[in-house]
Amino acid sequence: MNELNRPAIPPATKQSSAPSPSPGIVACGVYAAGQRIADIAIDQAGEWARKPGHVVWIGLYEPEDELLARVQAQFNLHPLAIEDAGNAHQRPKLEQYGNHLFIVARTAQMVETEKNGGRVAFGETHLFVGRGFVVSVRHGASVTYRTVRERSEACPATLSHGEDFILYAILDFIVDNYAPVIEAVREEVERLEDVVLASDLSRADIERLYHLRRDLVRLKLAAAPLAEVCRRLEHAEVMPIDANMQPLFRDVADHIMRVQEEISSLREVLAFAFEANLMLAQASQNEITRKLASWAAILAVPTAVAGIYGMNFENMPELKLEHGYFVVLAVIIGACGTLYWRFRRSGWL
């Protein structure tokens, strides 16, 4: 969508370091007219969500089954969706259970390792969205959504759209966080390109190239299904979405398409780098082979002559020549010199 029509979200304010209300709970607040009116307990969430004009926004991080069961009781969530939310090995998808949606999105972060620099770590976010509530459940590598909450609270006009805007803000944040990962991979790819052109890749560089290609494949598999999720949300094929919010999901889908294009281009560059390294290694081997063949041909001349005169036959007229030794040496040197000149001229030496 046109950037001019995209809701203005102010920069994030400084994150609070306040402890979570209880293990697994990052935040639990209720909003009305785009304003946060109270922090509430999980057991009060259902009552607040049923009030007209109110939206409950709950953030969980790797919750225990008991906590998920409490959330399920408040919003009457489907048992299958709750079971999936407790299992951090789901593929990206969108499912509708009655009057609420269950969305799975894959997150990605570049984390530093002692070996081979950084690597891409993947996590998951499970979203429950219904009238009057949004519940996000994070697993694994993921940036906290406190930033999303603070940005949204700083713009009450857009937050007043309720759960539709909160869902958009979270999905947009997930997709935007693919960008730093891709940029870090791009820097590694450029470094490997320079190494390929300067010298042969070391074993560590080849392993790094393989890991980068594998991470890019996994990143593409994580991002691509979100485009279909956003398309279904845009066209209101599932729970009705506010007409003013539908174009925003198309904007997220456009971002995903750009991410896919960048991933594809980086994979091609890595493939070219790998092929170039193989071609350079093969060319180097061919050059060494030509040099060895040239010297073998040159050394074959004195070896053959020495072999002939080392057969110890008595009737060899050349053995009686006064200057036969010097004549043979001259022939050997001449033949070897001629071969060296020819090989040098042809580029083999």
Side-chain angles (χ1 to χ4, degrees):
M1 85 182 266
N2 191 315
E3 294 295 334
L4 296 177
N5 297 327
R6 191 178 182 186
I9 302 179
T13 57
K14 184 177 180 180
Q15 296 183 5
S16 171
S17 59
S20 300
S22 64
I25 302 177
V26 178
C28 183
V30 59
Y31 298 81
Q35 299 287 344
R36 186 170 185 164
I37 60 175
D39 290 325
I40 60 174
I42 291 292
D43 298 328
Q44 301 173 336
E47 180 182 354
W48 279 100
R50 288 187 289 271
K51 293 183 179 181
H54 291 71
V55 177
V56 174
W57 186 355
I58 300 175
L60 307 177
Y61 180 70
E62 298 184 351
E64 300 290 339
D65 292 341
E66 183 272 335
L67 179 56
L68 284 176
R70 290 167 58 193
V71 173
Q72 177 186 12
Q74 292 300 308
F75 303 116
N76 193 28
L77 302 177
H78 197 280
L80 291 178
I82 289 295
E83 181 181 353
D84 286 346
N87 182 10
H89 299 285
Q90 303 294 320
R91 63 178 180 82
K93 61 182 179 179
L94 183 154
E95 295 178 346
Q96 184 168 10
Y97 294 97
N99 59 354
H100 70 270
L101 302 179
F102 177 64
I103 300 172
V104 178
R106 298 295 303 276
T107 57
Q109 276 185 293
M110 183 64 73
V111 297
E112 294 296 328
T113 59
E114 294 182 359
K115 185 178 180 180
N116 290 332
R119 66 178 181 86
V120 182
F122 293 89
E124 293 181 18
T125 293
H126 302 165
L127 298 170
F128 295 93
V129 184
R131 286 305 169 206
F133 69 90
V134 175
V135 180
S136 65
V137 183
R138 293 190 295 121
H139 292 276
S142 173
V143 179
T144 177
Y145 297 152
R146 187 177 291 114
T147 300
V148 180
R149 189 182 299 270
E150 292 176 352
R151 290 179 178 178
S152 300
E153 291 175 354
C155 192
T158 52
L159 186 54
S160 64
H161 289 281
E163 59 274 4
D164 295 340
F165 177 78
I166 295 173
L167 174 59
Y168 154 75
I170 294 176
L171 291 178
D172 186 60
F173 186 75
I174 291 173
V175 175
D176 285 347
N177 275 282
Y178 291 149
V181 175
I182 293 176
E183 184 61 29
V185 173
R186 187 186 304 280
E187 292 178 359
E188 283 288 305
V189 170
E190 292 176 353
R191 182 188 69 81
L192 289 174
E193 278 189 299
D194 294 337
V195 172
V196 167
L197 296 177
S199 60
D200 292 337
L201 292 177
S202 64
R203 180 180 179 86
D205 289 329
I206 294 175
E207 291 179 357
R208 182 59 176 158
L209 189 150
Y210 167 77
H211 290 147
L212 288 175
R213 293 188 67 180
R214 183 193 62 184
D215 288 342
L216 285 174
V217 171
R218 295 176 63 190
L219 184 59
K220 185 174 183 178
L221 293 176
L226 283 182
E228 176 62 17
V229 170
C230 292
R231 187 193 67 80
R232 295 179 63 188
L233 291 171
E234 175 195 352
H235 294 91
E237 295 181 5
V238 287
M239 185 181 71
I241 301 293
D242 187 343
N244 294 325
M245 293 289 102
Q246 290 179 8
L248 299 182
F249 294 103
R250 181 168 65 249
D251 180 70
V252 178
D254 290 341
H255 289 179
I256 296 172
M257 295 302 295
R258 288 198 292 271
V259 168
Q260 290 181 265
E261 292 173 358
E262 292 179 0
I263 291 174
S264 297
S265 65
L266 288 176
R267 289 181 61 191
E268 290 181 3
V269 172
L270 285 174
F272 292 153
F274 186 74
E275 292 175 1
N277 181 66
L278 289 178
M279 294 175 64
L280 290 173
Q282 185 176 5
S284 178
Q285 291 176 356
N286 291 339
E287 183 178 356
I288 294 173
T289 301
R290 288 196 300 266
K291 288 183 178 180
L292 291 176
S294 300
W295 285 114
I298 293 172
L299 293 176
V301 174
T303 301
V305 173
I308 292 173
Y309 287 99
M311 291 187 291
N312 296 322
F313 289 112
E314 293 184 0
N315 297 323
M316 297 181 70
E318 300 92 305
L319 297 178
K320 305 299 182 180
L321 294 176
E322 180 180 358
H323 302 291
Y325 173 75
F326 300 102
V327 172
V328 171
L329 284 182
V331 171
I332 292 175
I333 294 173
C336 291
T338 301
L339 288 174
Y340 180 83
W341 173 75
R342 292 295 299 273
F343 286 130
R344 187 79 174 178
R345 184 178 180 183
S346 62
W348 282 44
L349 288 176

